[in-house]
Amino acid sequence: MFTNRSPALRSVLLAIAIALSLSACAQESTPAAAVVRLATTTSTVDTGLFKAILPAFESQCACRVDVVAVGTGQALELGRRGDADVLLVHAPEQEAVFMKEGHAVRRDDVMYNDFVIAGPAGDPAGVSQASMAKDAFRRIQSASALFASRGDKSGTHTRELALWQSAGAPPAPGAAWYLSVGQGMGETLTFANERKAYALTDRATWASMQGRLPNLRLLFGGASAEANPDRDLRNRYGVIVIDRARHASVNTALGLRFADWLLSKPTQQQIGAFGRDAAGHSLFYPDSEEFKATDRVAVVIGDKARTFTIGDLRSAPQATLAGVEHVGVKKGPLGKYTWTGASLKDLLLSVDPGLASPSRSDSTIEVVSSDGWTATMTWHELFGQVSRGEGLYLAKGCNECHGLRAEGTSPEGKRPAPKLMGQAYSVPETTALIRTGTGQHEGITAYTADRLSDAEMAAILAWLAKPGRTGKADPFVVPESRRAVVLAYERDGKPMNGRDGLIQLVVGADEFASRYSHWVSEIRVR
């Protein structure tokens, strides 16, 4: 082979041949890196979120994540065909259908941001004056103002269509003002900027692109997700792991590993920090059960304080609520379970035995969860007696919107609930309103007669007109089996994990889920 070459040249060529041979052998013996095929929404790519966080997972698992950014509808179709191992999408209704079809082994909440409405600086439809998103959509339709729709069956497009429906003003077929783009969020905003049109967008993509959209302004949605006046604009993202048993080409094991990494506290903290310095607020808010789960509770009563670990709670006096099912005001029945945990009443008395004294009867017990939700109780509910009207007001969940003492509330991200205390209401008119879920109760699960009888409605309204709390004359009677208030650490006899919430408040007397609070982290007595 080398007979006509010089000895030096033959040596060089031989070295090269050996090197190439060794390289080929190395390539043959080294397995290809594993690949996670991730179908995700355009917002996670347009904002740069995955570019920022994925390298950590790829390094940790010695694998590669191949990202396909499409609308949620297209991502779900990729999952149905087995062309993706994991999906990250944001259309809960479509996701629920997908899960029922049996394509996946698991779905978990990951994060959320919100939707906002951007539009031309002159705001010809007066969107900035709207109180709710559906009102903004009515104004756009009434003014025949240009509107750029993604038109791609994405999560954003799905939410847009739902808003048109709730506004009662869906665009007529062929309406000249309604422009269906059929593109991702970034392209749709660019188009809207060129045409000076309105558009519904997730806040994260808007925040990352607004500097390149000189003709548009954020007109509805407030300064942050927490300040958004319309709670229905909350935009939740879920991670779905496809099932290898249904689709043989899928790597479910690696998909589960990716999902667990995405849901872990360190990654969730990265998600929460992403973009905060540039935008002044988080572009995505961590929302996994692992992120919110708690393993200890701090109890503060005046100058007395103590922190209880899960082990401490297991050693405390135990209480059980068997076969309890609460009703969510928007989701309906939440499932019947048996809850076991520490008695809240006994736990409080272990910190301050004097709390049971009638002299402390003006106290309020606040149970705070790691996601910011606060459930409140009066002293009388634990240590005294409440009237039938007040007890029913609390048990039926009226306090969730109107406040513990019907004082009225105006929380960020939710529409205000009026003060009811001291007001006289017509029993027939009020009963009709809550039976149908219309008017001020629009969007709330209707209180049918089996959930709230006419007599119970009358008792609540009588208490509101003439409040009284001691209940000596007409007490609220709770069945023995439901009298406990529990800080639960077991559900149906099994320890709860991060996805269930390690410590959960369950108020046995409640029928609705106004105080069905996950991830309890602190209890304050004021």
Side-chain angles (χ1 to χ4, degrees):
M1 175 178 179
F2 301 113
T3 53
N4 295 323
R5 314 292 186 188
S6 68
L9 182 58
R10 286 201 301 272
S11 297
V12 171
L13 292 174
L14 179 61
I16 292 173
I18 292 172
L20 290 173
S21 176
L22 290 173
S23 174
C25 290
Q27 289 176 4
E28 290 177 5
S29 61
T30 303
V35 176
V36 180
R37 298 171 301 164
L38 172 63
T40 183
T41 65
T42 59
S43 59
T44 57
V45 174
D46 288 343
T47 59
L49 173 66
F50 275 154
K51 184 178 180 180
I53 69 172
L54 284 183
F57 177 72
E58 291 177 321
S59 174
Q60 182 186 111
C61 78
C63 65
R64 186 178 81 247
V65 181
D66 283 352
V67 179
V68 178
V70 290
T72 287
Q74 292 171 278
L76 291 170
E77 285 305 312
L78 290 173
R80 287 187 174 96
R81 299 199 301 264
D83 291 336
D85 304 307
V86 186
L87 314 178
L88 183 69
V89 288
H90 63 131
E93 294 82 5
Q94 292 186 51
E95 294 166 42
V97 171
F98 184 86
M99 295 302 294
K100 285 182 180 178
E101 291 172 352
H103 295 285
V105 295
R106 205 175 84 194
R107 182 215 170 271
D108 297 283
D109 290 332
V110 177
M111 59 193 184
Y112 69 88
N113 57 12
D114 63 332
F115 293 108
V116 297
I117 302 173
D123 191 15
V127 164
S128 61
Q129 305 302 312
S131 59
M132 302 288 282
K134 62 183 179 182
D135 177 38
F137 272 42
R138 288 191 196 106
R139 289 169 179 257
I140 293 170
Q141 196 263 10
S142 178
S144 295
L146 292 180
F147 183 92
S149 167
R150 284 186 59 167
D152 62 351
K153 297 183 180 180
S154 62
T156 305
H157 184 217
T158 300
R159 186 64 60 91
E160 177 219 316
L161 295 177
L163 285 169
W164 286 121
Q165 194 66 34
S166 66
W177 59 271
Y178 186 77
L179 311 173
S180 183
V181 181
Q183 297 290 328
M185 196 68 257
E187 292 89 345
T188 301
L189 282 174
T190 299
F191 177 86
N193 179 68
E194 293 170 354
R195 297 295 301 273
K196 296 183 180 179
Y198 292 96
L200 181 72
T201 173
D202 66 282
R203 186 186 297 273
T205 304
W206 166 259
S208 67
M209 290 187 62
Q210 60 180 323
R212 307 193 299 276
L213 305 169
N215 296 324
L216 300 183
R217 301 288 184 273
L218 194 158
L219 298 173
F220 184 89
S224 68
E226 300 308 315
N228 195 323
D230 193 337
R231 192 75 170 185
D232 287 339
L233 291 184
R234 182 64 60 89
N235 180 27
R236 297 192 178 279
Y237 292 77
V239 61
I240 298 175
V241 181
I242 308 303
D243 190 356
R244 183 180 177 83
R246 182 74 177 267
H247 302 284
S249 62
V250 165
N251 191 336
T252 299
L254 195 53
L256 286 168
R257 187 174 175 185
F258 174 80
D260 287 341
W261 169 81
L262 193 63
L263 301 170
S264 68
K265 284 195 175 184
T267 306
Q268 290 280 295
Q269 289 166 345
Q270 277 188 285
I271 290 172
F274 174 72
R276 190 183 296 157
D277 291 342
H281 57 77
S282 296
L283 297 187
F284 301 94
Y285 294 82
D287 199 37
S288 80
E289 312 293 12
E290 286 83 346
F291 179 75
K292 294 178 288 190
T294 49
D295 62 358
R296 60 195 62 231
V297 178
V299 178
V300 181
I301 307 175
D303 60 353
K304 299 179 176 63
R306 181 179 168 187
T307 297
F308 296 84
T309 65
I310 288 284
D312 295 329
L313 293 179
R314 290 185 177 279
S315 300
Q318 192 179 87
T320 297
L321 288 166
V324 173
E325 179 167 49
H326 291 88
V327 177
V329 294
K330 290 193 174 183
K331 294 186 176 181
L334 300 179
K336 186 176 291 186
Y337 305 108
T338 293
W339 302 94
T340 302
S343 160
L344 176 60
K345 179 178 179 179
D346 291 333
L347 200 70
L348 294 175
L349 291 178
S350 72
V351 176
D352 184 0
L355 185 59
S357 169
S359 65
R360 310 280 290 277
S361 62
D362 286 336
S363 299
T364 298
I365 297 99
E366 299 178 350
V367 181
V368 184
S369 295
S370 62
D371 64 348
W373 177 259
T374 299
T376 56
M377 304 184 70
T378 68
W379 179 92
H380 292 272
E381 291 182 81
L382 285 179
F383 302 103
Q385 181 70 61
V386 297
S387 69
R388 183 165 179 264
E390 181 178 7
L392 287 168
Y393 170 88
L394 297 167
K396 303 297 182 178
C398 309
N399 55 316
E400 180 172 356
C401 294
H402 296 281
L404 181 65
R405 298 183 174 94
E407 69 276 15
T409 61
S410 184
E412 289 186 349
K414 299 177 76 173
R415 65 185 177 198
K419 175 183 177 181
L420 303 178
M421 184 58 68
Q423 309 292 319
Y425 296 94
S426 162
V427 174
E429 291 179 8
T430 308
T431 302
L433 180 146
I434 68 164
R435 287 272 188 271
T436 56
T438 57
Q440 290 178 303
H441 257 232
E442 185 179 2
I444 306 299
T445 298
Y447 282 72
T448 52
D450 60 317
R451 290 180 174 169
L452 180 64
S453 69
D454 290 350
E456 289 172 332
M457 183 75 253
I460 293 173
L461 294 180
W463 171 71
L464 292 173
K466 295 182 179 180
R469 195 181 303 141
T470 61
K472 291 180 180 178
D474 187 17
F476 178 59
V477 179
V478 181
E480 179 67 33
S481 62
R482 295 192 66 146
R483 287 181 189 170
V485 178
V486 178
L487 290 178
Y489 44 73
E490 288 183 2
R491 187 174 72 179
D492 290 342
K494 299 178 181 178
M496 292 187 291
N497 59 34
R499 292 188 183 90
D500 297 320
L502 289 178
I503 303 169
Q504 180 161 333
L505 174 72
V506 187
V507 181
D510 288 355
E511 298 174 26
F512 280 70
S514 60
R515 297 183 288 195
Y516 187 73
S517 183
H518 297 270
W519 317 297
V520 175
S521 60
E522 185 179 4
I523 300 170
R524 301 187 292 248
V525 179
R526 300 186 185 278

